[in-house]
């Protein structure tokens, strides 16, 4: 009997050790000894996506770098008022857009001039913002940080504030010198390191688990008959601009929108080239069903309104396509009514297909969620 009890005790101990090892290997990272190097993080792209544009050899991802970037992304300390973070206008449940706002809101509740674009699949962007004013991911954060309406802060001030953390009395104690040391090997906080950490975090924000993605990977049952019909119509009539698996050709086009009240000239403000007047970047349509309102100024609240604009077929109304010298040739074909010919049934099928691009895993993934900094709206 004593021998049996001894054998059972041995297996109980072995089982406890196995459970303990599994927990430490899956739920929480292993504690690192002081002074150890950052932990490399492997970044992989979906097999059917093109090669990324971002040069990872210049800024290799690490577990600690991504974690630091996530805290910075959600921390209002990046703004003058300490309560507007990147996550204020890029909210996860709306595929990292500003849900319900046609124009983004910034410090002191000031209202911007454009709709907040989605933060997703940043690794493949050849340019950023509606006008393509930035061509490098590492240089994206300084734009909203220093914008008078958005965050109205100076990078130098942000660096000084980060150095003074943790802040006494803060809802969540964040020790940035310690986090920078874990991510980069020393507690030196610089603008370059801050941008690299933010880029590392944004690089991980890949959306590729929608029902459409399962369909592409071979699951024919992932889409309904109407959605497949919508995909076919989409390829015929929309994919010239919303091309490839990222659903954007990355170009700047004038899609016939009437100039808004501030007469936003789009790409022209960057290049001062008349050929770029009223041109805006073609946005990706991934998660488009979650990112209303639409267009650079959020003028349309539904996908139906968007397709009505392109179809240019509302009875009793004037031409919805605004004619100007830079109007995209695809919307102005000689001998045909301006716009894209679409029946009501085709519109509904396209919309059904577009909603298959919604990525529920992406908007619920805890790797991208607010870590609880608690200082931004």
């Amino acid at each position: 009997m004593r021998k049996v009890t001894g054998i059972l005790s041995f297996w109980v101990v072995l089982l406890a050790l196995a459970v303990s090892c599994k927990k430490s290997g899956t739920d929480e990272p292993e504690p690192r000894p002081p002074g150890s190097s950052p932990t490399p993080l492997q970044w992989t792209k979906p097999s059917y996506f093109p090669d990324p544009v971002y040069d990872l050899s210049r800024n290799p991802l690490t577990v600690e770098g991504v974690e630091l970037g996530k805290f910075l992304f959600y921390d209002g300390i990046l703004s003058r008022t300490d309560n507007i973070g990147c996550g204020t206008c890029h909210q996860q449940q709306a595929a990292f857009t500003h849900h319900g706002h046609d124009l983004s809101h910034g410090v002191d509740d000031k209202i911007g001039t454009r709709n907040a674009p989605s933060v997703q699949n940043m690794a493949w962007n050849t340019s950023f913002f509606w006008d393509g004013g930035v061509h490098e991911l590492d240089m994206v954060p300084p734009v909203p940080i220093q914008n008078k309406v958005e965050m109205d802060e100076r990078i130098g001030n942000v660096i000084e504030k980060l150095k003074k953390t943790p802040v006494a009395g803060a809802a969540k104690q964040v020790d940035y010198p310690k986090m920078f040391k874990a991510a980069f090997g020393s507690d030196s906080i610089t603008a370059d390191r801050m941008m690299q950490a933010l880029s590392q975090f944004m690089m991980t924000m890949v959306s590729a688990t929608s029902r459409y993605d399962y369909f592409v990977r071979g699951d024919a049952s992932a889409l309904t008959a109407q959605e497949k019909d919508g995909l076919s119509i989409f390829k015929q009539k929309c994919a010239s601009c919303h091309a490839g698996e990222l659903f954007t050709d990355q170009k700047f086009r004038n899609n016939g929108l009437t100039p808004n009240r501030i007469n936003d000239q789009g790409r022209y403000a960057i290049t001062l080239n008349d050929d770029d007047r009223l041109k805006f970047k073609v946005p990706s349509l991934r998660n488009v069903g979650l990112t209303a309102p639409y267009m650079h100024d959020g003028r349309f609240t539904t996908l139906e309104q968007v397709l009505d604009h392109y179809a240019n077929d509302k009875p009793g109304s004037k031409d919805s396509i605004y004619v100007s010298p830079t109007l995209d040739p695809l919307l102005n074909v000689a001998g045909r009514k301006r716009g894209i010919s679409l029946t009501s049934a085709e519109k509904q099928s396209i919309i059904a297909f577009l909603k298959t691009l919604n990525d529920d895993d992406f908007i619920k993934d805890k790797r991208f969620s607010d870590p609880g900094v608690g200082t931004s709206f």
Side-chain angles (χ1 to χ4, degrees):
M1 185 64 185
R2 181 178 297 174
K3 182 177 181 180
V4 172
T5 303
I7 293 173
L8 286 174
S9 298
F10 169 77
W11 284 109
V12 168
V13 170
L14 191 64
L15 179 61
L17 284 172
V19 171
S20 174
C21 290
K22 182 179 179 182
K23 183 177 181 181
S24 64
T26 57
D27 294 340
E28 299 175 1
E30 292 284 354
R32 296 186 309 121
S36 60
S37 301
T39 311
L41 180 64
Q42 185 67 35
W43 187 89
T44 56
K45 75 177 183 67
S47 60
Y48 47 96
F49 274 30
D51 289 334
V53 174
Y54 190 80
D55 183 2
L56 276 165
S57 67
R58 293 190 298 104
N59 185 21
L61 270 59
T62 65
V63 172
E64 295 79 8
V66 171
E67 182 74 356
L68 171 60
K70 181 164 74 170
F71 270 77
L72 291 170
F73 186 88
Y74 283 104
D75 200 332
I77 199 170
L78 269 60
S79 68
R80 171 177 57 79
T81 57
D82 290 338
N83 59 15
I84 299 293
C86 306
T88 302
C89 291
H90 301 284
Q91 301 168 353
Q92 185 174 14
Q93 74 271 18
F96 295 96
T97 60
H98 205 177
H99 178 65
H101 294 269
D102 52 352
L103 305 174
S104 59
H105 288 225
V107 292
D108 304 326
D109 206 25
K110 293 179 180 176
I111 300 176
T113 58
R114 291 176 180 164
N115 181 253
S118 177
V119 176
Q120 60 178 352
N121 299 333
M122 303 290 270
W124 292 271
N125 277 10
T126 56
S127 64
F128 300 87
F129 304 114
W130 283 102
D131 55 19
V134 173
H135 291 263
E136 167 60 49
L137 179 57
D138 292 354
M139 300 308 297
V140 168
V143 176
I145 289 173
Q146 298 180 123
N147 185 286
K148 293 295 183 185
V149 172
E150 296 183 53
M151 294 178 170
D152 192 25
E153 183 57 289
R154 292 186 299 153
I155 298 298
N157 281 347
V158 174
I159 300 301
E160 291 305 311
K161 288 192 288 185
L162 294 175
K163 289 178 178 177
K164 295 175 182 175
T165 58
V167 178
K172 183 178 180 65
Q173 295 292 311
V174 184
D175 189 335
Y176 280 112
K178 184 178 180 180
M179 295 187 77
F180 272 79
K181 184 173 184 178
F184 297 105
S186 78
D187 58 6
S188 174
I189 298 179
T190 67
D192 286 347
R193 286 181 168 185
M194 183 175 76
M195 304 313 164
Q196 287 179 340
L198 283 164
S199 289
Q200 288 192 34
F201 173 57
M202 289 188 284
M203 281 288 294
T204 66
M205 299 164 74
V206 176
S207 176
T209 50
S210 66
R211 284 199 291 122
Y212 167 77
D213 291 294
Y214 286 105
F215 178 76
V216 171
R217 291 168 182 158
D219 182 0
S221 66
L223 302 189
T224 67
Q226 185 190 32
E227 290 162 351
K228 290 175 184 175
D229 184 50
L231 171 58
S232 177
I233 299 167
F234 179 88
K235 287 182 175 179
Q236 298 170 38
K237 303 193 176 187
C238 309
S240 296
C241 303
H242 296 285
E245 298 303 342
L246 297 169
F247 294 89
T248 172
D249 61 1
Q250 308 271 2
K251 294 182 179 178
F252 300 88
R253 296 176 181 270
N254 176 350
N255 61 350
L257 294 175
T258 305
N260 59 17
R261 60 179 176 79
I262 65 168
N263 195 26
D264 190 342
Q265 295 289 298
R267 180 70 172 160
Y268 171 79
I270 302 299
T271 66
L272 299 182
N273 183 341
D274 281 331
D275 291 339
D276 287 331
R277 286 189 184 277
L278 299 178
K279 289 184 179 180
F280 296 88
K281 185 175 180 181
V282 176
S284 170
L285 296 184
R286 283 189 170 272
N287 289 304
V288 71
L290 304 169
T291 60
Y294 305 107
M295 303 298 175
H296 64 279
D297 53 7
R299 68 179 63 192
F300 297 136
T301 58
T302 67
L303 291 171
E304 285 81 1
Q305 291 174 335
V306 173
L307 292 187
D308 284 346
H309 164 72
Y310 286 120
N312 191 19
D313 62 351
K314 296 194 72 173
S317 65
K318 62 181 181 180
D319 197 331
S320 66
I321 302 293
Y322 177 77
V323 181
S324 67
T326 60
L327 177 62
D328 198 282
L330 292 171
L331 300 175
N332 197 22
V333 178
R336 287 166 39 184
K337 185 178 181 180
R338 281 186 286 272
I340 301 171
S341 175
L342 291 170
T343 67
S344 295
E346 287 175 330
K347 292 178 187 176
Q348 292 308 309
S349 293
I350 290 174
I351 290 172
F353 163 66
L354 290 176
K355 291 182 178 178
T356 71
L357 297 173
N358 293 357
D359 187 343
D360 288 339
D361 291 342
F362 180 66
I363 64 172
K364 295 176 182 176
D365 195 325
K366 292 184 178 179
R367 293 176 303 161
F368 312 141
S369 300
D370 185 348
V373 180
T375 57
S376 63
F377 292 130

